[in-house]
Every structure is written in structure tokens, then in C-alpha cells.
Amino acid sequence: MAVVDIQFTAHDCGGCPIKHRAVCARCDDDELSLLEEIKYYRSFEAGQTVLWSGDPMDFVGSVVTGVATLSQTMEDGRTQMVGLLLPSDFVGRPGRGEAAYDVTAVTDLTMCCFRRKPFEKLMERTPHIAQRLLQMTLDELDAAREWMLILGRKTAREKIASLIFILGRRDASLGLGTTTVGQMTFDLPLTREAMADYLGLTLETVSRQISALKKEGVIDLQGKRRVHVPDHERLLAETGDDADGGMVA
Amino acid sequence: MAVVDIQFTAHDCGGCPIKHRAVCARCDDDELSLLEEIKYYRSFEAGQTVLWSGDPMDFVGSVVTGVATLSQTMEDGRTQMVGLLLPSDFVGRPGRGEAAYDVTAVTDLTMCCFRRKPFEKLMERTPHIAQRLLQMTLDELDAAREWMLILGRKTAREKIASLIFILGRRDASLGLGTTTVGQMTFDLPLTREAMADYLGLTLETVSRQISALKKEGVIDLQGKRRVHVPDHERLLAETGDDADGGMVA
DNA sequence: CGTGGTCTTGACACGATTCAAGCCCCGTGG
DNA sequence: CCACGGGGCTTGAATCGTGTCAAGACCACG
């Protein structure tokens, strides 16, 4: 529950693990030092809520370590995840004073936050920040559109295969997990329920489809969370996408 | 089939119907005149394809009049609409040389196009364009996330009600259609099939749900395409969203 | 050793899809 | 002027996939 300051507080941006991908990636040293004046770190434990939809929001920020989700909930409790935030992803919208979605830490989480008003002012004077944010937002929009195809047109089995594929691709690009030719091993950062919320399924269906993929040898589980994909192509075939990945280049 | 130049070709931006909402909305006169040098108009007939996914794309642009869609198609033909483009909406991504989605004119369509390379250069020097594009992209991302909730968690009936609600809201904001207290009348710009592609349904299900809403008096049809909503609140209740609209403020 | 959270599995129900037939409206050509 | 044809739409009946409800397994932790 408590929001704990961690060792990052003392860090300068030079040692930041996401400095090449975050919203500040294009900033020069001068710009970084302006950002440093308005930044602070916050950390959250797995399961904590970072923000509720509608909460006043006086900061924006980046995920430094860990995984968070954005989700929407209907009155009757149905929920849909609408964003999966990994290290370097940005939270908040300049100009918006309240949270539009629930933000939840699904693993232990560290965020680099900027006070919103000063950040907005800085953005007006610093095209590098706005340029980078535009690029990141366009990437997110592409990801959202890929996600829409998954939600609207894929079967439960294809949804699960797509999720595993996406998580594996992402871990590979971050250099996590193990990747050898055509194979990979990594941890699912999400519970079955979170996967269900991501994919517009129930947790029972998620569980069944994972079991089915396992039984057929498409994937292979070490414990509930660690996944080994023996044949990348085989998994891709199960996603329903075409051979080049079916996604934006 | 033929791409026809229309009377807009001669227009300067002063008479442009979307000048207050498009990507150029914040530009001053000097900036506009730079844009005018690289712009040209294109028009398309209803049903025409503007671009196929993967096509080389040497322009970006704005919808001036009419409605277009962005969609993705899987190998086996399943298709999902991922964007609905109305007047002032932007097409293309600076820095991307090929189309990521199929773009289709669903009504007769006029677009204001900018040659991509010069536009990108101009954008670097013109923060007003980048700022506006960022704002529009953030809006699209919010819309995409609202759409994800619809795709992932709503019933067929709620999906149809949501679509009608969204289309009505938009027509109202553009000052089209008729709006009196709690009522509205407007045309559906989409065929049943396009609605199905939007909502992740089959066209039969769309048809059945529209018939059901009509029979119960939630909506009322004049012909196949013209919709009258006698009670806005009643329709909203059918969307499953909560009373404030359930969407981003 | 018991408790709670996470996950799996089964049986059944239900909503959406599939397949099929036919209607409505409009434009075309005999 | 009317027959014809096609696109868009509606409706019905049967099927199938996913959700719902329920029971129990697994595992970490106190």
C-alpha cells in the first residue's frame, strides 16, 4: 500500500536502464537536466493500484522496471485491459488532469514520474520530447490496432497463441529470456485472469487453451508461468497471422 | 477507378471545411502557405480502395469530406476494421513508407494530401504541426481503447447500441443530422457488413440486433440507413456504459 | 497442517456463427 | 413497361465455441 521511494531517487539519468527508449530518449544533456529537476521515482508492489480511472493525475511518467496494465471496467464488473506497459512505456497524457484508465502494477514496479504542469511547459519548448512522444504514441496506436484484430476476429486458441507470441517477441527485444534459433523461453508476467482481461476471454477459457497448446506440444510449461516455445514457426502458425508476422513492419 | 481531381484543387486553405480540426489547425498563415506548396487533393468514389496494406505510400493526408475505413485482413479473409476516418482525420504515419492497413472509401471521399517527404521535413521545423498531430494521435489512441472494450467485452446488442451511439455523437459534434433535446436523427454511413467488421460480428448478427432494437423502440429506421433515436438515454443504457458516457472525458 | 490464492477440469447453457432461403429496392436492357 | 439480376438486407434453423457454474488440485505461506 505504501508508496516507497527506492534507490533510484538518487540516480541521475546517466545510469537509467530505459534512457534509450523512453520519452526522454532524444534529449541532450541540457534537456535531461531540466527533466531531472521535475522528476522523482515511485515504486509499487505487485498487485498495487497505481491509479484509479478518474483520479486526479498530477504527473506523467515512464515505467522503469516491471509491468503495469491499463484497464477499463464496466459497471457490472466486466473488465478489459487496454494497455500493457513495459519498461520505457509512458503513462499519462499531457494536458489531461485525470486518469482515463485504471493503472495496476502486475509485478513490482518502478516509475520515473514528472510533475505534469512543468512537464507540459517543458514539452512546449523542447521539440525532442514532443517528437519522441509522438513516435511512441504512434507505436502504441499500431499496437492497439493489432490488438483490435485479436479481440474482434481471433478464436480463443489464436488469442492465446498471439499473446504468447507477443510476450515472447517483446522479451526477446529487451534481451530477457532465452532465445536460440527458433526457440525461446520466458516468464508470463500475467496471471490467467489478467490474460483473460487482455484477450476478452474468461480465465477458464485461457486455462483450457493453454492446456490444449501444451498437450499438443506447441508450448511447454515449467511451472505455471514459465513457457518454453520449442518451435517459433509452429506457434506463429497458431496465431492465425501470416508468415511475416502479420503485423506492422 | 479513376482518381478524379475535383474543384478543391483550386482552393486555398482559407475556405477549407476542416481547417479548425485537421493536422494544420494550429498553423499560422506562413506555415499554411508552406503546406499549400506540397498539398494536392484527391477524390475517390464510394467503394474504392484508397490503399492496400503494404502499398508504398508517398503521401500523408486528411479526410476533407466523406468517410473512409482502415482495416486489417487475415489470410483466410476474416477482416477487422481498426479505424473509422471522418472529416479532419489523418491518414498515414510520418516516417513510414508503406501503408500498414487497407484504406477504403465507404462514401465518396475527398482527401487533402501532402507529399510525405516534404511533409516530414516541414514537421521537423514546425512544432505546430507536430503538436497537433500528437494531440490527434492521442485522441485516436483513446478511441482505439474505447473500441477495445467494445470488442472484448460487450454483447452483440451492446456493440450495436455503442456503434449507433458513437456515430450519433460524432454527427452531432460535426453539426450534421438533427438533434433536439434527447433525440437525434442521422444516416449510418456504413453497410451492415462494414458495421460487422467494425464490431467483430457477422453481418447477420448485426442485422438481427438492429431489428431487435427497432422492434423494442430503442431506435427507429427510415429506410435501411436513416436512424432516429427517440431517447438518447435509453440508447445509452443499452450500450452497457455508465451514465456519464463511460468514456474518456 | 490448514488456509487462501491460483489454476485446472468437467458438465451444461447460451449467444453468436453458419448455412440457407428469400425479400426489397433499384438500375438495366429487352 | 416489365422482366431480370444483383447488392444489400432480413429471417430462420441448426451448430459450435465460449461462458457459467461447480468441484477439486496444486502450491506457497503462516
Side-chain angles (χ1 to χ4, degrees):
Chain A
M1 177 62 225
V3 174
V4 185
D5 278 0
I6 63 162
Q7 69 279 14
F8 274 109
T9 310
H11 281 193
D12 71 346
C13 296
C16 179
I18 57 167
K19 65 178 174 183
H20 297 302
R21 306 173 49 117
V23 70
C24 52
R26 292 198 191 170
C27 292
D28 57 36
D29 290 345
D30 288 350
E31 291 163 343
L32 278 182
S33 66
L34 291 171
L35 277 173
E36 296 217 41
E37 286 172 24
I38 59 169
K39 96 178 183 200
Y40 54 99
Y41 292 94
R42 296 180 68 184
S43 62
F44 301 87
E45 289 165 27
Q48 272 190 289
T49 294
V50 177
L51 286 166
W52 295 104
S53 170
D55 279 357
M57 195 161 176
D58 52 353
F59 68 93
V60 296
S62 303
V63 173
V64 180
T65 61
V67 179
T69 61
L70 298 184
S71 56
Q72 302 197 70
T73 302
M74 294 170 67
E75 314 172 71
D76 61 7
R78 284 176 280 177
T79 80
Q80 175 65 51
M81 195 186 299
V82 297
L84 184 61
L85 304 172
L86 300 159
S88 83
D89 284 338
F90 189 76
V91 180
R93 174 171 174 165
R96 175 181 286 156
E98 60 181 59
Y101 311 100
D102 298 330
V103 183
T104 310
V106 296
T107 63
D108 287 348
L109 182 73
T110 316
M111 292 190 55
C112 172
C113 303
F114 305 105
R115 288 184 292 122
R116 187 167 65 81
K117 287 288 186 191
F119 183 85
E120 289 167 12
K121 275 201 195 111
L122 193 52
M123 222 176 67
E124 283 169 23
R125 288 180 288 118
T126 315
H128 283 166
I129 298 178
Q131 282 166 14
R132 177 66 188 142
L133 186 57
L134 174 59
Q135 198 173 50
M136 292 173 73
T137 306
L138 287 164
D139 286 340
E140 272 189 273
L141 186 57
D142 280 332
R145 286 172 167 163
E146 178 184 338
W147 201 334
M148 285 197 247
L149 176 65
I150 293 173
L151 288 173
R153 292 303 186 193
K154 291 193 178 181
T155 64
R157 183 186 176 94
E158 289 168 339
K159 285 176 173 179
I160 295 292
S162 297
L163 176 59
I164 294 174
F165 189 86
I166 288 170
L167 292 173
R169 182 179 57 182
R170 196 141 19 173
D171 270 19
S173 89
L174 292 174
L176 309 173
T178 310
T179 313
T180 60
V181 187
Q183 302 198 10
M184 56 185 181
T185 304
F186 59 94
D187 282 317
L188 298 173
L190 303 175
T191 64
R192 300 289 185 264
E193 186 177 15
M195 294 186 232
D197 286 344
Y198 188 124
L199 298 170
L201 298 171
T202 59
L203 71 89
E204 293 94 331
T205 298
V206 170
S207 182
R208 276 188 253 271
Q209 296 298 334
I210 289 180
S211 298
L213 289 175
K214 180 183 172 186
K215 187 173 331 183
E216 298 171 31
V218 179
I219 59 172
D220 163 77
L221 293 181
Q222 291 141 25
K224 307 284 188 193
R225 293 295 192 87
R226 191 154 191 82
V227 181
H228 172 70
V229 178
D231 180 353
H232 206 248
E233 291 301 314
R234 174 86 193 282
L235 177 61
L236 180 55
E238 295 289 354
T239 65
D241 293 315
D242 44 4
D244 61 11
M247 7 204 98
V248 178
Chain B
M1 177 60 224
V3 174
V4 185
D5 279 1
I6 63 161
Q7 69 278 14
F8 274 107
T9 311
H11 280 191
D12 70 346
C13 297
C16 178
I18 58 167
K19 65 179 173 183
H20 296 303
R21 306 174 49 118
V23 69
C24 52
R26 291 200 192 169
C27 292
D28 58 35
D29 290 344
D30 290 348
E31 291 163 343
L32 279 182
S33 66
L34 291 171
L35 278 173
E36 295 218 41
E37 286 172 25
I38 58 169
K39 96 177 183 202
Y40 55 99
Y41 291 95
R42 295 179 68 185
S43 62
F44 300 87
E45 290 167 27
Q48 273 190 287
T49 295
V50 177
L51 287 165
W52 294 104
S53 170
D55 280 357
M57 197 162 175
D58 52 352
F59 68 93
V60 296
S62 302
V63 174
V64 180
T65 61
V67 179
T69 61
L70 297 184
S71 56
Q72 303 197 70
T73 302
M74 294 170 67
E75 314 172 71
D76 61 7
R78 283 176 280 177
T79 82
Q80 175 64 51
M81 196 186 298
V82 297
L84 184 60
L85 303 172
L86 299 160
S88 84
D89 284 337
F90 189 76
V91 180
R93 174 171 173 165
R96 175 182 285 158
E98 59 181 60
Y101 311 101
D102 298 331
V103 183
T104 310
V106 296
T107 64
D108 288 348
L109 182 73
T110 316
M111 293 191 54
C112 172
C113 304
F114 306 105
R115 288 184 293 121
R116 187 167 64 81
K117 287 288 185 192
F119 182 85
E120 289 168 11
K121 274 201 197 112
L122 194 50
M123 223 177 66
E124 285 169 23
R125 285 180 291 120
T126 315
H128 282 165
I129 299 179
Q131 282 166 13
R132 178 65 188 142
L133 186 57
L134 175 58
Q135 198 174 50
M136 293 173 71
T137 305
L138 287 164
D139 285 340
E140 274 189 89
L141 187 56
D142 279 333
R145 285 171 169 165
E146 178 184 338
W147 201 334
M148 284 195 241
L149 176 65
I150 293 173
L151 288 172
R153 292 302 185 192
K154 291 193 179 181
T155 64
R157 182 185 177 96
E158 289 168 339
K159 285 177 173 180
I160 295 293
S162 298
L163 176 58
I164 294 174
F165 189 88
I166 288 170
L167 292 173
R169 181 180 57 182
R170 203 169 27 70
D171 270 19
S173 89
L174 293 173
L176 309 172
T178 310
T179 314
T180 58
V181 186
Q183 301 199 14
M184 56 186 180
T185 305
F186 59 93
D187 282 317
L188 298 173
L190 303 174
T191 63
R192 300 288 185 265
E193 186 178 14
M195 292 186 233
D197 286 344
Y198 188 124
L199 298 170
L201 297 171
T202 59
L203 72 88
E204 293 94 329
T205 299
V206 169
S207 183
R208 275 187 254 272
Q209 296 299 333
I210 289 180
S211 298
L213 289 175
K214 180 183 172 186
K215 187 174 330 183
E216 297 171 32
V218 180
I219 60 172
D220 174 64
L221 294 180
Q222 292 141 24
K224 306 285 188 195
R225 294 294 193 88
R226 192 154 191 82
V227 181
H228 173 70
V229 178
D231 181 352
H232 207 248
E233 291 301 315
R234 173 87 193 280
L235 177 62
L236 179 55
E238 295 289 353
T239 65
D241 293 316
D242 44 4
D244 61 10
M247 8 203 97
V248 179

